[in-house]
Amino acid sequence: MEKERRWLDRRIEGILFILFLLWIPIAHSQNILKIPLYFHHKEIWVEVAKTTEDRNHGLMGRKHLGKDEGMLFIFEKEDYHGFWMKNTLIPLSIAFIDKDGRIVWITDMKPLTLDSHVPPKPILYALEMNKGWFSSQGIKAGDVVRFSK
């Protein structure tokens, strides 16, 4: 009887642990702030990663990103902030944006790689979108991202 009870207790602990691991990404994604961004005459809503924790996690583990969805990374100070795709499953394009909202560089990033993508000059923001999104919208280096209409 005692062996059966210990076996049952271990099974329950295992199930609770698995449920906890599944809950972490759901809880993380529900706390993300979304804001509008404007390119030319297009409005998109993006998730914001402004804390160190949010920036470090980014879009890792996601299996899907909607057509006009993305993530804006906001840094405390302008610098050469680099990105990689470790544990990121979706092919992405990234726009590196300076303090004035001007795109300084756009590049594609391959999933699950440790290739470093560093802007050619200091940036304050970075915007990750589905691979090819910027070119499909006619958005290029030199264009300005607006945070209000």
Side-chain angles (χ1 to χ4, degrees), residues 4-112:
E4 288 175 8
R5 184 166 187 213
R6 279 187 278 159
W7 177 83
L8 183 60
D9 288 345
R10 279 187 288 214
R11 294 227 357 138
I12 291 171
E13 287 173 3
I15 291 169
L16 290 174
F17 180 71
I18 290 169
L19 290 173
F20 173 74
L21 289 177
L22 293 173
W23 174 79
I24 290 171
I26 293 167
H28 186 276
S29 67
Q30 288 176 349
N31 294 326
I32 298 288
L33 169 69
K34 282 191 169 188
I35 64 165
L37 292 181
Y38 304 89
F39 295 93
H40 307 295
H41 299 290
K42 183 169 185 69
E43 176 184 89
I44 62 169
W45 283 79
V46 296
E47 296 177 26
V48 176
K50 67 178 188 174
T51 68
T52 302
E53 180 184 341
D54 288 342
R55 288 190 303 265
N56 288 341
H57 190 270
L59 293 170
M60 286 194 296
R62 302 270 186 99
K63 294 179 181 173
H64 176 74
L65 191 59
K67 179 181 175 245
D68 290 325
E69 294 179 355
M71 181 171 280
L72 178 70
F73 295 78
I74 302 175
F75 297 95
E76 286 84 20
K77 66 179 186 131
E78 212 172 15
D79 205 345
Y80 292 89
H81 301 286
F83 284 71
W84 64 359
M85 296 285 284
K86 180 180 181 183
N87 299 323
T88 304
L89 308 171
I90 308 165
L92 299 172
S93 292
I94 186 168
F96 293 100
I97 306 164
D98 69 14
K99 68 181 186 299
D100 298 320
R102 188 163 309 280
I103 297 173
V104 300
W105 187 46
I106 298 173
T107 191
D108 293 335
M109 301 188 296
K110 293 180 185 173
L112 303 171

